[in-house]
Amino acid sequence: MKSNVLVCVVGARPNFMKMAPIIKALKAVGQPIVPYLVHTGQHYDQAMKDTFFQQLGIPEPDRDLGVGSGSHAVQTANTMLRFEPVLDEVSPFAVLVVGDVNSTIACGLVAVKKSIPLIHVEAGLRSFDRDMPEEINRILTDQISDLLFTTERGALHNLEREGIDEGRVCFVGNVMIDTLLANCQQAVTPDLTLATYGSSLAIKEEGYALLTLHRPSNVDDPDTLVRLIKTVGEISKRLPVIFPVHPRTQQKIAHAGLLNEFSTERVSLLPPVSYLEMLGLMRAARVVLTDSGGLQEETTALGVPCVTLRENTERPITVTDGTNTIVGTDAEKIKACVHEILDSGGKRGRIPEYWDGNAATRIVERLLQRYF
Ligand code: UD1
């Protein structure tokens, strides 16, 4: 008898927001698809995992592989070793992965080698920067996927260029925006978030800029990190900055002895915040400075100006249609862009096609057509 189990994989923080609406939509249709949730454990801190599961209403994983951190090879290999027996035991009809993290490619590779069809949600995004670990994960995961769901129309051209048959690609919109729209009402106010973490930053009159940084290219190289820290310090003279710090960045800042330099009266460092706190911080920010892929999309959906501290983006619709500007890491360019936004209000943008809260429903409809 054909299996009706769909193994759904999450590993790192941005995966949780993408998987939540898919699990919900699968449960809403009930049979014939039964989701089986595997968490690889790539992100394991409470602040990076548990609060997200609780707030997003994601059920406890059916399996936690507990792989934790390590080099790319160690993390990927451990994930593969621990994922294979789960597939042997559960015998799913397919494996569904989201995004571009190491857990995505690791579990995808195990599935196809066992002749289990792989489904990739958020396929076809390309930065064309192969120094980015995620770019390798994206290209490889798409190559081995049976069904590819895209968030923006341009992604199809990237996939066709790489020889992927159009018939396997389905434009459904953005599941992360499903989550954002479903949770907007519950977003936590910035005042409450600052108070929760004991910050006395005054934001009432002036508002604030929100900063996130975690890309290896920005935080692993001390020269780049110092340059960014100084630039943020200068921006903070005009506008206070709220900075929830990713564990990787926290380690790099501490290691370089830069904690005191970064944390000032006008720059408030917070630990990683919860999803609903982040949503509240993004929504009320006058400008967001980030190197995250997810925040580029979320700010576009919220209509908040975004300054991307990278040389490229794999999500070009946030620039063409949305509120995103790619500036790189040059201090003068960052400052000029932020001042321009503060003077003029910044790009207004419009909501991209199908970023309407129904992407997960479209995914489930297509899964039913394709496999049942
Ligand atoms: C990963 C993803 C990245 C994604 C990011 C979101 C890859 C290649 N990268 O990067 O695409 O944007 O997640 O957060 O998959 N750490 C903790 N606690 C945790 C998790 C990590 O302290 O719960 C620390 C560890 O020291 C670890 C470091 O953060 O070595 C980096 O974690 P890792 O999962 O390797 O990559 P991220 O930088 O989080």
Side-chain angles (χ1 to χ4, degrees), residues 11-15 41-49 68-72 75 100-104 132-134 137-138 214-216 246-249 251 291-294:
R13 187 169 61 173
N15 293 166
Q42 177 173 342
H43 283 173
Y44 45 89
D45 282 357
Q46 201 196 359
M48 300 294 277
K49 182 198 157 233
S69 299
S71 69
H72 285 263
Q75 194 172 57
D100 55 15
V101 302
N102 285 342
S103 302
T104 308
M132 228 184 143
E134 295 81 1
N137 295 342
R138 292 181 199 118
H214 77 282
R215 294 257 156 245
H246 185 282
R248 172 186 204 105
T249 313
Q251 283 167 19
D291 58 10
S292 148

Coordinates of all heavy atoms in Angstrom, one line a residue, residues 11-15 41-49 68-72 75 100-104 132-134 137-138 214-216 246-249 251 291-294, ligand 1:
G11 N 15.4 22.7 10.5 CA 16.7 22.6 11.1 C 17.1 23.9 11.8 O 17.5 23.9 13.0
A12 N 16.9 25.0 11.1 CA 17.4 26.3 11.6 C 16.3 27.3 11.7 O 15.2 27.1 11.0 CB 18.5 26.8 10.7
R13 N 16.5 28.3 12.4 CA 15.4 29.3 12.8 C 14.6 29.7 11.6 O 13.3 29.7 11.7 CB 16.1 30.5 13.4 CG 15.1 31.5 14.0 CD 15.8 32.6 14.8 NE 16.8 33.3 14.1 CZ 17.5 34.4 14.6 NH1 17.2 34.8 15.8 NH2 18.4 35.0 13.9
P14 N 15.1 30.1 10.4 CA 14.2 30.6 9.4 C 13.4 29.4 8.8 O 12.4 29.7 8.1 CB 15.2 31.1 8.3 CG 16.5 30.5 8.6 CD 16.6 30.3 10.1
N15 N 13.7 28.2 9.0 CA 12.9 27.1 8.6 C 11.6 27.0 9.3 O 10.5 26.6 8.7 CB 13.6 25.7 8.8 CG 14.8 25.5 7.9 OD1 15.6 24.6 8.2 ND2 15.0 26.3 6.9
G41 N 17.9 19.7 14.6 CA 18.7 20.2 15.8 C 19.8 21.1 15.4 O 20.7 21.4 16.2
Q42 N 19.9 21.5 14.1 CA 21.0 22.5 13.7 C 20.9 23.7 14.7 O 22.0 24.1 15.1 CB 20.8 22.9 12.2 CG 21.8 23.9 11.8 CD 21.8 24.2 10.3 OE1 21.2 23.5 9.5 NE2 22.4 25.3 9.9
H43 N 19.7 24.2 14.9 CA 19.6 25.3 15.9 C 18.9 24.7 17.1 O 17.9 24.0 17.0 CB 18.8 26.5 15.4 CG 19.6 27.3 14.5 ND1 19.0 28.4 13.8 CD2 20.9 27.3 14.2 CE1 20.0 29.0 13.0 NE2 21.1 28.4 13.3
Y44 N 19.5 24.9 18.3 CA 19.1 24.1 19.5 C 18.9 25.0 20.7 O 18.2 24.6 21.6 CB 20.2 23.1 19.8 CG 21.6 23.7 19.7 CD1 22.2 24.3 20.8 CD2 22.3 23.7 18.5 CE1 23.4 24.8 20.7 CE2 23.5 24.2 18.4 CZ 24.1 24.8 19.5 OH 25.3 25.4 19.4
D45 N 19.5 26.2 20.7 CA 19.2 27.1 21.9 C 17.7 27.4 22.0 O 17.0 27.5 21.0 CB 19.9 28.5 21.7 CG 21.4 28.4 21.9 OD1 21.9 27.4 22.3 OD2 22.0 29.5 21.7
Q46 N 17.3 27.5 23.3 CA 15.9 27.8 23.5 C 15.4 29.0 22.7 O 14.4 29.0 22.0 CB 15.6 28.0 25.0 CG 14.1 27.8 25.2 CD 13.7 28.4 26.5 OE1 14.4 28.9 27.3 NE2 12.4 28.2 26.8
A47 N 16.3 30.1 22.7 CA 15.9 31.3 22.0 C 15.9 31.1 20.4 O 15.3 31.9 19.7 CB 16.9 32.4 22.3
M48 N 16.6 30.1 20.0 CA 16.6 29.8 18.5 C 15.6 28.8 18.1 O 15.5 28.5 16.9 CB 18.0 29.3 18.1 CG 19.2 30.3 18.4 SD 19.0 31.8 17.5 CE 19.8 31.3 15.9
K49 N 15.0 28.1 19.0 CA 14.1 27.0 18.7 C 12.8 27.0 19.4 O 11.7 27.3 18.9 CB 14.8 25.7 18.9 CG 14.0 24.5 18.5 CD 14.5 23.2 19.1 CE 13.4 22.2 19.2 NZ 13.1 21.6 20.4
G68 N 23.2 19.6 16.3 CA 24.0 20.7 16.8 C 24.9 21.4 15.8 O 24.7 21.2 14.6
S69 N 25.9 22.0 16.4 CA 26.8 22.8 15.5 C 28.1 22.0 15.1 O 28.3 20.9 15.7 CB 27.3 24.1 16.3 OG 26.2 24.9 16.6
G70 N 28.8 22.6 14.2 CA 30.0 22.0 13.8 C 30.4 22.6 12.4 O 29.8 23.5 12.0
S71 N 31.5 22.1 11.9 CA 31.9 22.6 10.5 C 30.8 22.2 9.6 O 29.9 21.4 9.9 CB 33.2 22.0 10.1 OG 33.0 20.7 9.8
H72 N 30.8 22.8 8.4 CA 29.8 22.4 7.4 C 29.8 20.9 7.2 O 28.7 20.3 7.1 CB 30.0 23.2 6.1 CG 29.6 24.6 6.2 ND1 28.3 25.1 5.8 CD2 30.2 25.7 6.7 CE1 28.2 26.3 6.1 NE2 29.4 26.7 6.6
Q75 N 28.4 19.0 10.3 CA 27.0 19.2 10.5 C 26.2 18.5 9.4 O 25.2 17.8 9.7 CB 26.7 20.7 10.4 CG 25.4 21.1 10.9 CD 25.2 22.7 11.0 OE1 25.4 23.3 10.0 NE2 24.9 23.2 12.2
D100 N 17.3 27.0 2.6 CA 18.7 26.8 2.0 C 19.7 26.5 3.0 O 20.9 26.8 2.8 CB 19.1 28.1 1.2 CG 19.0 29.3 2.0 OD1 18.9 29.2 3.3 OD2 19.0 30.4 1.5
V101 N 19.3 26.0 4.2 CA 20.3 25.8 5.2 C 21.0 24.4 5.1 O 20.5 23.6 4.2 CB 19.7 26.0 6.6 CG1 19.2 27.4 6.8 CG2 18.7 24.9 7.0
N102 N 22.0 24.1 5.9 CA 22.7 22.8 5.7 C 21.7 21.6 5.9 O 21.9 20.6 5.3 CB 23.8 22.7 6.7 CG 25.0 23.6 6.3 OD1 25.1 24.0 5.1 ND2 25.9 23.9 7.2
S103 N 20.7 21.8 6.8 CA 19.8 20.7 7.0 C 19.0 20.4 5.7 O 18.6 19.2 5.5 CB 18.8 21.1 8.1 OG 19.5 21.3 9.3
T104 N 18.7 21.4 4.9 CA 17.9 21.3 3.7 C 18.6 20.3 2.7 O 18.1 19.4 2.3 CB 17.8 22.7 3.0 OG1 17.2 23.6 4.0 CG2 16.8 22.6 1.8
M132 N 28.8 32.0 -0.9 CA 27.8 31.9 0.1 C 27.4 30.4 0.4 O 26.9 29.8 -0.6 CB 26.5 32.6 -0.4 CG 25.9 33.6 0.4 SD 24.5 34.3 -0.4 CE 23.4 34.4 1.0
P133 N 27.5 29.9 1.6 CA 27.2 28.5 1.8 C 25.8 28.2 1.3 O 25.5 27.1 0.7 CB 27.3 28.3 3.3 CG 27.8 29.5 3.9 CD 28.0 30.5 2.8
E134 N 24.8 29.1 1.5 CA 23.4 28.8 1.2 C 23.2 28.7 -0.3 O 22.3 28.0 -0.8 CB 22.5 30.0 1.7 CG 22.4 30.1 3.2 CD 23.6 30.8 3.8 OE1 24.5 31.3 3.1 OE2 23.6 30.9 5.0
N137 N 23.8 25.2 -1.3 CA 22.7 24.4 -0.8 C 21.5 24.6 -1.7 O 20.8 23.6 -2.0 CB 22.3 24.8 0.6 CG 23.4 24.5 1.6 OD1 24.3 23.7 1.4 ND2 23.3 25.1 2.8
R138 N 21.2 25.8 -2.2 CA 20.1 26.1 -3.1 C 20.2 25.3 -4.4 O 19.3 24.6 -4.9 CB 20.0 27.6 -3.4 CG 19.6 28.4 -2.3 CD 19.5 29.9 -2.7 NE 19.6 30.7 -1.6 CZ 20.6 31.6 -1.3 NH1 21.5 31.9 -2.2 NH2 20.6 32.3 -0.2
H214 N 24.4 38.3 10.6 CA 24.9 37.0 11.0 C 25.6 36.3 9.9 O 26.2 35.2 10.1 CB 23.7 36.1 11.5 CG 22.9 35.6 10.4 ND1 22.0 36.3 9.7 CD2 22.9 34.4 9.8 CE1 21.4 35.6 8.8 NE2 21.9 34.4 8.8
R215 N 25.7 36.8 8.7 CA 26.3 36.2 7.6 C 27.8 36.0 7.9 O 28.5 37.0 8.3 CB 26.2 37.0 6.3 CG 24.9 37.1 5.8 CD 24.6 36.2 4.6 NE 23.2 36.0 4.6 CZ 22.5 34.8 4.8 NH1 23.2 33.7 4.9 NH2 21.2 34.8 4.8
P216 N 28.4 34.8 7.6 CA 29.8 34.7 7.8 C 30.6 35.8 7.1 O 31.6 36.3 7.7 CB 30.1 33.3 7.2 CG 28.8 32.6 7.2 CD 27.7 33.6 7.2
H246 N 22.5 37.4 16.9 CA 22.5 36.0 16.6 C 23.7 35.4 17.4 O 24.7 36.0 17.5 CB 22.7 35.9 15.1 CG 22.7 34.5 14.6 ND1 23.8 33.6 14.7 CD2 21.7 33.8 13.9 CE1 23.5 32.5 14.1 NE2 22.2 32.5 13.6
P247 N 23.6 34.1 17.8 CA 24.7 33.5 18.6 C 26.0 33.5 17.9 O 27.1 33.8 18.5 CB 24.2 32.1 18.8 CG 22.8 32.0 18.5 CD 22.4 33.2 17.7
R248 N 26.0 33.3 16.6 CA 27.3 33.3 15.9 C 27.9 34.7 16.0 O 29.1 34.8 16.2 CB 26.9 33.0 14.4 CG 28.1 33.2 13.5 CD 27.7 33.0 12.0 NE 28.9 32.6 11.3 CZ 29.1 31.4 10.8 NH1 28.2 30.5 11.0 NH2 30.2 31.1 10.2
T249 N 27.1 35.8 15.8 CA 27.6 37.1 15.9 C 28.1 37.5 17.3 O 29.1 38.2 17.4 CB 26.5 38.1 15.4 OG1 26.0 37.6 14.2 CG2 27.0 39.5 15.1
Q251 N 29.3 35.5 19.4 CA 30.7 34.9 19.7 C 31.8 35.7 19.0 O 32.8 36.0 19.6 CB 30.7 33.5 19.1 CG 30.0 32.5 19.9 CD 29.8 31.2 19.1 OE1 30.5 30.9 18.1 NE2 28.9 30.4 19.5
D291 N 21.5 41.6 7.0 CA 22.1 40.7 5.9 C 21.3 39.4 5.8 O 21.7 38.4 5.2 CB 23.6 40.4 6.2 CG 23.9 39.7 7.6 OD1 22.9 39.3 8.2 OD2 25.0 39.6 7.9
S292 N 20.1 39.4 6.4 CA 19.3 38.2 6.4 C 18.4 38.2 5.2 O 18.0 39.2 4.7 CB 18.3 38.2 7.7 OG 17.1 37.6 7.4
G293 N 18.2 37.0 4.6 CA 17.3 36.9 3.5 C 15.8 37.1 3.9 O 15.1 37.8 3.2
G294 N 15.5 36.4 5.0 CA 14.1 36.5 5.5 C 13.7 37.9 5.8 O 12.6 38.3 5.4
Ligands
UD1_1 C1 22.2 29.2 9.7 C2 22.1 29.0 8.2 C3 21.8 30.4 7.6 C4 20.6 31.0 8.3 C5 20.8 31.1 9.8 C6 19.7 31.7 10.5 C7 23.5 27.3 7.1 C8 24.7 27.1 6.2 N1 23.3 28.6 7.5 O1 23.4 30.0 9.9 O2 21.5 30.2 6.2 O3 20.3 32.3 7.7 O4 21.1 29.8 10.2 O5 19.9 31.8 11.8 O6 22.8 26.4 7.3 N2 24.7 28.5 17.6 C9 24.2 28.6 18.9 N3 23.0 28.1 19.1 C10 22.2 27.6 18.2 C11 22.6 27.5 16.9 C12 23.9 28.0 16.6 O7 24.9 29.0 19.8 O8 21.0 27.2 18.5 C13 26.0 29.0 17.3 C14 27.0 27.9 17.2 O9 28.2 28.3 17.8 C15 27.3 27.7 15.7 C16 27.0 29.1 15.1 O10 26.0 29.7 16.0 O11 28.5 27.3 15.5 C17 26.5 29.0 13.7 O12 25.4 28.1 13.6 P1 25.1 27.4 12.3 O13 23.8 26.6 12.4 O14 26.3 26.6 11.8 O15 24.9 28.5 11.2 P2 24.1 29.9 11.3 O16 25.2 31.0 11.3 O17 23.2 29.9 12.4

